[in-house]
Every structure is written in C-alpha cells, then in structure tokens.
C-alpha cells in the first residue's frame, strides 16, 4: 500500500517564478492538507482540500493556491516566488472524517524541498 | 504568544536515560493532541495520540493536563534511535481541520 507520495522531491526556482507541487494521498484517503515547514520551525498549515474544494485555509497569501482532482490527488501552486518561500512543503492525507479527532492520524509525504534563489 | 510552544532543545542525554518534554497550548478549547516524530530532513510521523487519561506505548508515555494546558512526553530507557525532533500537535476547536504544530524539541541520545 503506497503511502503519501509527493513530487518532485527537490526544486530550485528563481524569485518571481511560479511552481507546482504534486501530492497523491494514501490509498483510501480523500482529504489532503498542505503544510509549509521552514528550517527550524514546525509545519504551518496552508490549506486543506476535501471533495475537490478548499475546505479551510491558513494565514497564507493568495499567491498560494491549490487544487484537488477527482482521484483525490492534489496540487499546490505558488506564484511570484519570494526568497522566504524556501521551505519543505509537506502534503498530509487523512481518512474520511468531518474534522480532526483523536483517531484522525494525518499521514505525511516525504515533502518537496523548495529553494528560491 | 504562539498557539503551541515547545522548548527547541537540544536535549542531549546518554543512552538509557529518561527524558521528558513539555508542550503548552494557548487555546483552552483545543480538541485533540498528538506527538509526532520527525527525523532529519524527513516527514513527520505519528508517535502517539494523547488522551485525557494519559497513555503509554512501550517506553513512551504521554500525558495531558487540560487545567494547565500542557501535554508531556516521557521517554524511558532512551535509545540512540530515539534521536529526532519531537513535534507537539494540537487541533483547535471543533469546526476546524488543521493541525497546529509546535516548533519541535530536538533530542540527541548519546552513546
């Protein structure tokens, strides 16, 4: 059973460019969340997708957008990249549920390490 | 004040030692609590959920103190393989779907 898979694993972009990161959730999961983890920090919630719609969003600017496809896979798009966007981007999937709870484990992919130069 | 706070460490302990980490959270209505483990340059993985009555999994014990708004993780008989960053995770009030992470506590177990 494949876990959460993300691509690419590493990426180098130039300031002002746009980037698309991809995520395939764990089999049987329909909810995908994206997190940004800067060096030395904990992951920060960007947004969550469920039933192909953005269900909740964290404190990130509109430059960060996403999409979920009918097969539950997801993309994270970042426009007009800034140096401060350099981070590990983590995708997490979870089993069908209405909200997090004690039994709602989020499974993380290995992440995409984005470097903006 | 951060929503979830942890001592970043590092905690350097010898093999076989017992070590404890605390994590405080600011929202008294927080719902669920977890400890995740993250190895260097890897993804976070669930170590254990934290229940109100406290729970144990082998050498690991987690406690929740709602009155003081903190959770703790105790590791007994530390192994070299326990070296990692331990992330405290809290879910806020009902109606929200995000996990709030602390900055993590680094643990180094020394031979």
């Amino acid at each position: 059973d494949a876990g959460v898979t993300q691509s690419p694993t590493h990426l180098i972009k130039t300031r002002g460019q746009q980037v698309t990161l991809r995520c395939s959730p764990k089999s049987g999961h329909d909810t995908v969340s994206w997190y940004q983890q800067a060096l030395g920090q904990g992951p920060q919630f960007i947004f969550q997708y469920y039933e192909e719609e953005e269900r909740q969003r964290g404190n990130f600017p509109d430059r960060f957008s996403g999409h979920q496809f009918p097969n539950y896979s997801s993309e994270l798009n970042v426009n007009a990249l800034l140096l401060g966007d350099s981070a590990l981007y983590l995708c997490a999937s979870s089993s069908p549920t209405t909200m997090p709870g004690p039994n709602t484990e989020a499974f993380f992919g290995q992440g995409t390490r984005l470097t903006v130069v | 004040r951060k929503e979830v706070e942890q001592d970043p460490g590092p905690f350097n302990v010898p093999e076989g030692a017992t070590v404890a980490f605390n994590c405080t959270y600011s929202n008294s209505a927080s719902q669920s609590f977890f400890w995740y483990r993250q190895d260097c340059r890897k993804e976070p993985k669930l170590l254990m959920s934290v229940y109100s009555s406290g729970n144990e999994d082998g050498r690991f014990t987690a406690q929740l103190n709602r009155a003081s708004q903190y959770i703790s993780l105790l590791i007994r008989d530390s192994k070299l393989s326990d070296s990692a960053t331990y992330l405290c995770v809290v879910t806020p009030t009902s109606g929200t779907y995000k996990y709030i992470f602390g900055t993590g506590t680094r643990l180094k177990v020394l031979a």
Side-chain angles (χ1 to χ4, degrees):
Chain A
D1 174 30
V4 180
T5 58
Q6 292 186 242
S7 63
T9 55
H10 295 82
L11 204 52
I12 300 175
K13 289 286 190 178
T14 304
R15 269 183 304 176
Q17 285 189 313
Q18 179 265 345
V19 68
T20 297
L21 310 182
R22 296 177 176 82
C23 171
S24 292
K26 182 177 169 64
S27 177
H29 288 183
D30 64 358
T31 302
V32 174
S33 302
W34 287 93
Y35 290 81
Q36 179 195 66
Q37 186 175 24
L39 198 61
Q41 301 296 315
Q44 299 292 311
F45 177 78
I46 302 175
F47 40 55
Q48 185 183 84
Y49 277 84
Y50 173 70
E51 293 187 341
E52 301 180 50
E53 291 195 0
E54 182 182 291
R55 182 157 71 171
Q56 187 172 12
R57 187 178 185 90
N59 295 325
F60 279 80
D62 292 345
R63 297 186 298 108
F64 289 77
S65 63
H67 188 76
Q68 186 179 35
F69 299 93
N71 66 354
Y72 309 125
S73 66
S74 177
E75 287 182 349
L76 164 65
N77 300 293
V78 187
N79 294 323
L81 284 166
L82 304 174
L83 295 180
D85 294 332
S86 296
L88 179 67
Y89 288 85
L90 294 161
C91 169
S93 75
S94 51
S95 58
T97 186
T98 56
M99 61 188 67
N103 298 317
T104 309
E105 176 183 353
F107 290 81
F108 285 84
Q110 82 282 9
T112 293
R113 191 163 298 279
L114 173 65
T115 302
V116 182
V117 297
Chain B
R1 182 185 173 188
K2 288 185 178 179
E3 291 180 274
V4 178
E5 294 201 64
Q6 293 182 254
D7 180 344
F11 284 60
N12 297 321
V13 302
E15 265 188 298
T18 295
V19 61
F21 310 135
N22 281 343
C23 163
T24 59
Y25 59 94
S26 61
N27 187 342
S28 61
S30 294
Q31 249 194 347
S32 302
F33 310 87
F34 307 89
W35 283 102
Y36 272 74
R37 170 191 168 131
Q38 187 172 28
D39 292 296
C40 187
R41 304 182 77 82
K42 299 283 190 181
E43 74 274 21
K45 292 184 179 178
L46 179 67
L47 179 65
M48 57 197 305
S49 301
V50 187
Y51 300 107
S52 297
S53 55
N55 48 301
E56 187 174 306
D57 182 2
R59 298 182 293 109
F60 299 84
T61 301
Q63 297 279 350
L64 167 63
N65 185 319
R66 284 193 181 271
S68 300
Q69 295 178 213
Y70 77 82
I71 69 173
S72 64
L73 176 68
L74 182 78
I75 305 175
R76 291 181 299 278
D77 189 22
S78 299
K79 311 290 185 191
L80 293 175
S81 57
D82 293 334
S83 297
T85 295
Y86 291 84
L87 295 160
C88 171
V89 182
V90 172
T91 64
T93 56
S94 60
T96 182
Y97 308 97
K98 64 180 180 181
Y99 290 88
I100 300 175
F101 286 79
T103 56
T105 298
R106 279 179 56 204
L107 171 66
K108 290 185 179 180
V109 181
L110 308 172

